[in-house]
Structures are given as structure tokens and as C-alpha cells.
Amino acid sequence: MNPPDNEWSLIIFNILGDLSVGAFIALGLAHFYAVRTANLRQADLLSTRALLALGPILVLGMLAVFGHVGNPERAFNMLRNLDTSWLAREVAAYGAFLVFGGAFAVLQAACLLPESIQKRIPQGLRNIMPTVRILLAWIAAILGIIFVFCAAMIYYDPRLASRQTAWANPYTVILFFVDTGLLGFMALSVGFVGNYAWLKRSKTIDPETVETQGRLLRDSIKGFSFVAIALVGVLFVAIPIYMAYLGAVRSPLNDNLLMLLHTTYSVHWFARLFLAFTGAGILSVFMFYLAGQPRRSNLLYLMVVLAFVSVFVAEVVARYLFYAGNATLLIGGM
């Protein structure tokens, strides 16, 4: 049984939302590192274009929300239940993340304006812009974490345990946050590679700056790959514990979910584990090693793209299984 059509909208929303939050947090860490090891200008050159690329992803995520609930009016009506509904909190947190993240992106984009245009901005406003940017970045990051937590709590909520035992487990919260980190850090690695390729071709960027950007890119990829290896380690510890739980806590839902994972969805389950381990494990190890080999940059960039594709496909399959297996049991009444 496949998920209903509107569940695909939910899958797209969750994946794009998690990717955006993870990439935003990774971007903040990379920017902080670049400022400390180089300077603010180099940090802005590293991160600003990658940040602007998140804008369309955020908008697509919000459109997916409307696709899931049916129409924008219904989405706004859900916000009336913030005191009782995790779904309403999820939508509200995502909307607030979009607003504050967008405001931060606008201020950050001003760094790319020609100096002649920047001088037209009142001096007082220019003086406070760095402080405002930092404040907006912190608020957006916190809102993003709240969004991921609310999204997970929709399914983990103990009040649903009587009907959705397989979801109401700490594994659900771990899954959502691991997905956020893997998708975000891997996606930003690709964004940084694209940004560096643009800088190398730009006639306005001097060779010394290009060299510094190359170093910052390799350092960032090294850090991102380390995070990915750690997160996939968490995932491969959590999954066996979750499987053991499903087998130990006997219930019709748990028993039948295990059966589905070993029959109907066995290929999907294997593909999800294989791709996650390949992208965030094996390829990330190669990324970490190649980041320290400047002469093998082209191979490093290929590894970055392949790792992201593997992780992204793995997470799509993971979310498909997350909804399809439980939807089959709940709708089928097993």
C-alpha cells in the first residue's frame, strides 16, 4: 500500500523543512569559523550565496504545507489551536523560521552589493546591521530547532500511543533531528562547492581571495563530513534499539510493522540503510580525507555531490517508510 497523495506533500514538506533548518545551522557554524580564521568579508563570500539558495527551498516547503492541508485558509485556521496542537505549532514555527530567516538573508545579501550602493545606506543603519544580523540568525536557528521538535512531537505525542505505538517512541525524535543534520550539512557542502566554482570563474575576485576560499571550503567540508559520520553512527545505534523495542513490546501494530519491514518494504528498508551508510558513512570518510588533499579537489567535489545524493534519496525512502508502514497498519486496522 502506498501513502495517500497528500502524504507525499507531507514527506516533501518535512524533508525540505529539515534540510533548510540543518543547512541554516551548518551555515552559521561555517560563518563563525570563517570569521575567526579569516575575516568577515571572507566569511560573507563563503556563505551568502549558499544562504540565498535556501530561499526557494523554504518557499517550496511552505507550498508543500498547503498541498498537504488542501488550501492556505485551512493552514491558517490550524494556527488557532497552538495551545493544544503540535501540528499547529509546527506550521507556526516553520512560518516564523521562514520570516526571520528571510529577514536575515536580506541583510546578508546586502554584503554582496557593490560598495558604491552600500554607501547609500545611512551610516547609523550600517553600524547596527551586523548586530541585527546576528540577532536574526540566532532567532531563526532557535525557531528552526523548535520546528523540528514540533514536527517530531506530532507522532511521538504519548496521547497517540494507544493507536500509533510504532510512532510514539523516542526513536521518532532522534530520526527527525538526525535527518535535519544529515540533509542540512550535506546540502550545504554542495552549496559551498557551487559557490567556490562561481568565485573561481568571477573576474572580480582576486587570486588570494580564491585561495582563501578554497581553504575555507576544504575546512568546512572536513567539519561537515565529521558531523555526518557522527550522525549516521547515532542512527545505526538507534535503529537496532528501535527494532528490539518493536519485538519486545508485543502489540498488533508493532508485530505487523516488523512483518512489513521484512516483507512488503524489505527492499525499501535495505535501500534506506545502504544509502544512508554509503553517503553519510563511506563517502563522508573519503570527503574528510580528500579535504586535506588540495591537489585532489575535483575528486573531493564529486564525493560531496554523491554523498548528498545518497543521503537525500535515503531520507526520501526513510520518510516514505515512516508514513507508509504506519498508514498501512492504521488504515488497514491491523
Side-chain angles (χ1 to χ4, degrees):
M1 176 178 173
N2 294 323
D5 290 340
N6 65 335
E7 297 296 347
W8 280 108
S9 299
L10 185 58
I11 291 171
I12 293 171
F13 165 61
N14 277 321
I15 288 177
L16 294 183
D18 288 354
L19 187 155
S20 300
V21 172
F24 192 88
I25 293 172
L27 192 70
L29 294 173
H31 191 274
F32 178 83
Y33 172 79
V35 170
R36 295 300 180 276
T37 58
N39 55 53
L40 182 59
R41 176 177 176 272
Q42 294 288 355
D44 288 340
L45 285 174
L46 174 72
S47 61
T48 301
R49 289 179 182 83
L51 172 65
L52 296 179
L54 289 178
I57 296 175
L58 283 167
V59 174
L60 286 174
M62 186 57 75
L63 291 176
V65 174
F66 296 146
H68 177 66
V69 301
N71 58 69
E73 183 179 350
R74 187 177 174 187
F76 291 120
N77 287 337
M78 286 192 305
L79 298 179
R80 299 175 182 175
N81 303 316
L82 285 173
D83 57 333
T84 58
S85 171
W86 284 109
L87 181 60
R89 295 165 190 162
E90 176 195 33
V91 174
Y94 187 80
F97 171 68
L98 192 153
V99 170
F100 281 92
F104 170 75
V106 170
L107 291 182
Q108 186 69 25
C111 302
L112 297 179
L113 295 173
E115 202 169 318
S116 58
I117 296 179
Q118 291 190 36
K119 288 181 178 178
R120 297 178 187 176
I121 301 175
Q123 184 64 42
L125 182 58
R126 274 190 289 165
N127 290 340
I128 66 170
M129 278 176 61
T131 303
V132 174
R133 274 195 310 175
I134 294 173
L135 180 62
L136 289 173
W138 273 104
I139 295 174
I142 292 171
L143 287 169
I145 293 172
I146 292 174
F147 155 70
V148 175
F149 178 75
C150 291
M153 286 302 297
I154 293 172
Y155 309 99
Y156 176 68
D157 191 343
R159 292 176 296 179
L160 303 178
S162 60
R163 295 185 63 244
Q164 297 171 316
T165 307
W167 278 339
N169 185 280
Y171 170 76
T172 297
V173 180
I174 294 172
L175 175 69
F176 272 69
F177 277 100
V178 168
D179 287 355
T180 298
L182 288 178
L183 286 169
F185 280 75
M186 291 290 97
L188 190 61
S189 296
V190 175
F192 278 0
V193 168
N195 177 66
Y196 181 66
W198 186 92
L199 291 173
K200 286 181 68 176
R201 290 184 174 88
S202 177
K203 297 180 180 179
T204 61
I205 305 298
D206 59 273
E208 184 179 352
T209 297
V210 172
E211 183 180 350
T212 301
Q213 287 294 308
R215 177 178 59 81
L216 291 174
L217 170 64
R218 291 190 299 272
D219 289 348
S220 297
I221 290 176
K222 208 168 187 177
F224 294 167
S225 60
F226 179 82
V227 171
I229 293 168
L231 288 175
V232 82
V234 171
L235 185 66
F236 274 79
V237 169
I239 286 175
I241 294 175
Y242 179 57
M243 293 293 104
Y245 160 79
L246 292 178
V249 181
R250 304 303 298 273
S251 73
L253 276 174
N254 288 355
D255 293 345
N256 283 287
L257 179 58
L258 281 174
M259 182 186 70
L260 284 174
L261 291 177
H262 287 85
T263 55
T264 306
Y265 297 120
S266 59
V267 174
H268 303 77
W269 183 240
F270 173 79
R272 182 266 196 280
L273 297 177
F274 175 79
L275 289 171
F277 182 73
T278 300
I282 297 173
L283 294 178
S284 290
V285 169
F286 279 108
M287 286 165 54
F288 187 89
Y289 169 74
L290 291 171
Q293 308 289 324
R295 295 182 180 180
R296 308 179 72 178
S297 296
N298 290 337
L299 183 57
L300 170 64
Y301 305 153
L302 177 62
M303 291 295 106
V304 168
V305 174
L306 290 177
F308 170 68
V309 172
S310 295
V311 167
F312 186 82
V313 175
E315 296 308 327
V316 171
V317 176
R319 289 306 169 94
Y320 174 86
L321 289 171
F322 184 78
Y323 291 108
N326 285 279
T328 298
L329 297 176
L330 292 173
I331 295 173
M334 299 174 76

